[in-house]
Amino acid sequence: MEIPVIRSSPVNLGRAIDAGFCNFSKNLNSKVSMVKNNSKTCNIVQSQSLKWESKSAIRLTLKASATAQTEAAVISEKGSRNSRTKPTDGVKLYVGLPLDAVSNCNTVNHARAVSAGLKALKLLGIDGVELPVWWGIAEKEESGKYDWTGYLVLAEMVQKLGLKLHVSLCFHASKDAKIPLPNWVSRICESQPDVYFTDRSGQRFKDCLSLAVDDLPVLDGKTPIEVYTEFCTSFKVSFSPFIGSTITGISIGLGPDGELRYPSCHHRSKNNSHRGAGEFQCYNKYMLENLKQHAESHGNPLWGLSGPHDAPRYDQSPMSSGFFSEHGGSWETPYGDFFLSWYSSQLISHGDRILSVAASTFEDTDIIVSGKVPLMHSWYKTRSHPSELTAGFYNTTNRDGYEAIAEIFSRNSCKIVLPGMDLPEEDKINETRSSPELLFAQIASACGKHGVQISGENSLVSVSPRGFEQIKKNLVDQNVVDLFTHQRMGAHFFSPEDFPLYTKFVRSLNQANLHSDDLVTEEEETALSLPSANLRMQAA
């Protein structure tokens, strides 16, 4: 059996990203010497030096040394201890790799530093890692021409360490990681801007394609659904040596940031006195044509001329608008119900189409398919739930909008990935009347009714001690999540402030489920720890 290595002085390794940037230094020296395991304790002779550049022109250098006696990062023991030592009695722990782990040139960014980070996670007893695979990198220049080189190298690195790998297939762009849509797609979009989501003022959201064009031949005669299907098929063939053994999960991109939603909040509010709830994204010509047809089929053609005229702008409080007003708002009128039903149904149908693509592609493998649903918790304690409505979830005080979401995941035998597990309930009444806990509970309830499993993620880059307590509460007390992925490896994760919190969190999950005779003694913990991890900061 395997016992996760528990340490009292955690090793702090390198800089991977800062909100998506991977900026490990090329000057990395790592030397790991392993010796055969001749006893119950673990002795590793390890000397590592990591350097990385920060955005503030400060160079951090980590030197860690430890002694132990094993060839592996975990202890294999056939004694009396058993699987009760796994965290939270079955919950698996993953860590996301940097968003730009593979560069735009399709090479692994700072491979030696990433390798050192993977070894640190293995030492900590983490089950595996999550890898973003970008459409804009793997199918960069030409439709149907794929290059998986960098991703295959990373898969092999993960495999050699005995970690598991979950892959996120990303059909969106990332401004943080400076990863665009494929060049050939961007060229097409320049001449057909209505393939993008569009708001009331005509602003385009250019990080992914609009769901309205899913089945339209806008990509050199192919539909986006056909292109996504071919992408998934090529991935499956190219990674066949890893699928089912190293690669055990696939998360399929469903929209902005990979999530099933409209990009309702892509425009930052200019007014800092309050937060808006976003705007409806139904104003490209394809969405408007669809809305018009829907209104005419319902005998109310005037309802199909545009979106709600009394909805707020990005920088306006939703409670100040006529549409989302708590009492007598347009959302409660027959027109409001008509529009919101149509708007949400478009999102649900899109999600069903994409999940079906992934489920059918990987149905003959042992891979678990999942998709991400956002936790739009702002304004949840209002009657209209405006943040959810603009994002496409018709969820109000009078209507459960997540039953239909859970149904499409259940129909396609897919898991739901929920971010925001680190967000605690506010102690005081907050301006946006947010409630992440209540929304999490509602979505979990809908999933339970339809037999849909849940994986969780954190939302904040730097998780506070209170945030880790909230994650632990959701994992242990709620008992509805079977896998948690910490997002993600990088500057904050491996910082001397944050990484000790994460190792303490992992250790607390381990020990929460141990029998008293399984608990690590002080002597054993000292032997299993990395006793001297010293971080020094040097000016670049």
Side-chain angles (χ1 to χ4, degrees):
M1 64 133 248
E2 294 188 346
I3 304 174
V5 174
I6 302 172
R7 57 179 55 74
S8 60
S9 179
V11 63
N12 296 294
L13 294 174
R15 179 182 183 99
I17 57 168
D18 189 352
F21 292 93
C22 180
N23 202 17
F24 281 113
S25 169
K26 294 181 180 178
N27 301 318
L28 177 143
N29 298 310
S30 177
K31 182 179 179 182
V32 181
S33 174
M34 301 292 188
V35 212
K36 282 279 187 179
N37 177 24
N38 294 319
S39 69
K40 185 178 181 181
T41 58
C42 172
N43 283 328
I44 302 173
V45 179
Q46 178 175 325
S47 176
Q48 301 188 108
S49 177
L50 278 177
K51 294 183 180 180
W52 62 92
E53 303 284 346
S54 74
K55 295 167 93 174
S56 59
I58 296 296
R59 175 173 294 170
L60 301 178
T61 302
L62 168 75
K63 288 192 175 180
S65 62
T67 57
Q69 278 178 4
T70 186
E71 198 170 27
V74 295
I75 303 172
S76 295
E77 182 182 332
K78 297 181 180 179
S80 61
R81 299 189 182 185
N82 53 39
S83 60
R84 288 173 300 190
T85 56
K86 286 301 294 178
T88 63
D89 194 24
V91 175
K92 297 185 181 298
L93 298 180
Y94 280 65
V95 172
L97 292 174
L99 290 175
D100 58 355
V102 172
S103 72
N104 283 318
C105 298
N106 219 315
T107 58
V108 178
N109 267 327
H110 315 289
R112 293 176 65 187
V114 171
S115 177
L118 291 173
K119 290 173 184 176
L121 297 180
K122 179 68 175 180
L123 283 167
L124 191 57
I126 301 305
D127 294 279
V129 292
E130 175 264 345
L131 171 65
V133 172
W134 296 93
W135 186 25
I137 293 177
E139 196 181 358
K140 183 177 181 179
E141 297 297 343
E142 185 180 335
S143 175
K145 184 178 180 180
Y146 308 99
D147 185 354
W148 305 103
T149 306
Y151 297 113
L152 286 166
V153 171
L154 274 172
E156 187 174 354
M157 290 169 62
V158 172
Q159 182 185 59
K160 286 181 177 179
L161 283 171
L163 293 166
K164 298 299 182 183
L165 181 62
H166 281 191
V167 172
S168 296
L169 300 180
C170 304
F171 296 112
H172 63 281
S174 172
K175 288 184 175 66
D176 287 338
K178 298 181 180 179
I179 298 172
L181 294 177
N183 291 340
W184 64 275
V185 173
S186 296
R187 287 192 295 268
I188 292 171
C189 294
E190 287 177 7
S191 61
Q192 302 181 61
D194 278 296
V195 300
Y196 293 128
F197 286 104
T198 309
D199 65 17
R200 179 168 49 179
S201 63
Q203 294 184 88
R204 312 282 190 182
F205 178 77
K206 298 183 178 181
D207 286 353
C208 69
L209 300 181
S210 169
L211 56 80
V213 300
D214 277 354
D215 292 319
L216 299 178
V218 295
L219 299 178
D220 285 342
K222 294 180 180 179
T223 69
I225 291 294
E226 290 172 337
V227 172
Y228 301 153
T229 302
E230 291 171 1
F231 186 89
C232 291
T233 301
S234 177
F235 175 88
K236 177 184 175 183
V237 172
S238 300
F239 288 81
S240 57
F242 303 97
I243 288 178
S245 53
T246 299
I247 300 176
T248 57
I250 295 286
S251 179
I252 189 77
L254 299 173
D257 296 325
E259 298 176 336
L260 181 63
R261 63 177 174 88
Y262 289 95
S264 53
C265 293
H266 70 91
H267 183 78
R268 297 292 182 186
S269 173
K270 296 179 182 179
N271 189 340
N272 293 323
S273 64
H274 57 255
R275 290 181 57 189
E279 290 191 20
F280 293 109
Q281 306 291 312
C282 59
Y283 293 91
N284 66 39
K285 71 175 184 179
Y286 301 108
M287 290 289 286
L288 289 175
E289 287 173 0
N290 190 304
L291 176 60
K292 180 181 178 182
Q293 294 172 6
H294 187 68
E296 290 173 349
S297 68
H298 280 70
N300 290 290
L302 294 179
W303 286 357
L305 298 180
S306 182
H309 70 280
D310 55 350
R313 299 289 185 177
Y314 294 107
D315 58 352
Q316 293 178 316
S317 169
M319 296 298 100
S320 67
S321 72
F323 192 83
F324 296 121
S325 178
E326 283 288 77
H327 301 285
S330 301
W331 65 275
E332 289 189 282
T333 66
Y335 165 74
D337 180 63
F338 159 82
F339 175 79
L340 294 171
S341 296
W342 167 80
Y343 190 68
S344 64
S345 70
Q346 299 303 298
L347 182 70
I348 292 168
S349 296
H350 165 76
D352 194 20
R353 286 190 291 269
I354 303 296
L355 291 174
S356 178
V357 165
S360 59
T361 301
F362 298 103
E363 64 182 348
D364 58 346
T365 71
D366 293 328
I367 281 180
I368 296 173
V369 177
S370 60
K372 188 181 293 188
V373 173
L375 204 68
M376 306 298 295
H377 55 84
S378 293
W379 306 104
Y380 185 83
K381 290 183 178 178
T382 64
R383 295 182 66 245
S384 60
H385 297 208
S387 289
E388 293 164 86
L389 297 186
T390 58
F393 302 98
Y394 190 4
N395 187 59
T396 68
T397 188
N398 304 322
R399 189 181 190 278
D400 189 334
Y402 294 98
E403 289 281 346
I405 301 297
E407 283 178 10
I408 63 171
F409 278 83
S410 176
R411 181 161 57 247
N412 291 287
S413 301
C414 295
K415 293 179 65 174
I416 279 182
V417 179
L418 277 181
M421 292 191 64
D422 55 324
L423 302 178
E425 203 76 358
E426 294 288 342
D427 294 329
K428 300 178 181 179
I429 297 177
N430 54 80
E431 191 174 9
T432 61
R433 307 184 203 180
S434 168
S435 183
E437 285 194 23
L438 290 178
L439 179 53
F440 179 87
Q442 182 185 351
I443 298 175
S445 175
C447 289
K449 292 178 184 178
H450 294 276
V452 177
Q453 293 180 308
I454 299 175
S455 294
E457 294 181 355
N458 55 299
S459 286
L460 300 178
V461 174
S462 184
V463 180
S464 66
R466 186 184 180 194
F468 278 118
E469 285 301 314
Q470 184 66 30
I471 296 170
K472 185 176 177 181
K473 175 182 176 181
N474 286 325
L475 292 179
V476 179
D477 297 346
Q478 302 299 327
N479 197 29
V480 295
V481 176
D482 65 358
L483 186 150
F484 174 72
T485 301
H486 189 99
Q487 299 291 8
R488 63 184 55 249
M489 184 190 291
H492 290 283
F493 181 71
F494 281 129
S495 72
E497 295 80 22
D498 288 13
F499 196 58
L501 293 177
Y502 182 70
T503 58
K504 181 180 179 181
F505 160 73
V506 173
R507 183 168 57 186
S508 72
L509 293 181
N510 282 323
Q511 294 183 341
N513 292 280
L514 293 176
H515 272 209
S516 58
D517 59 352
D518 285 335
L519 289 172
V520 178
T521 66
E522 184 176 342
E523 179 182 356
E524 288 175 323
E525 183 168 345
T526 301
L528 291 172
S529 68
L530 298 180
S532 57
N534 302 312
L535 189 70
R536 73 173 182 266
M537 183 176 291
Q538 303 172 338

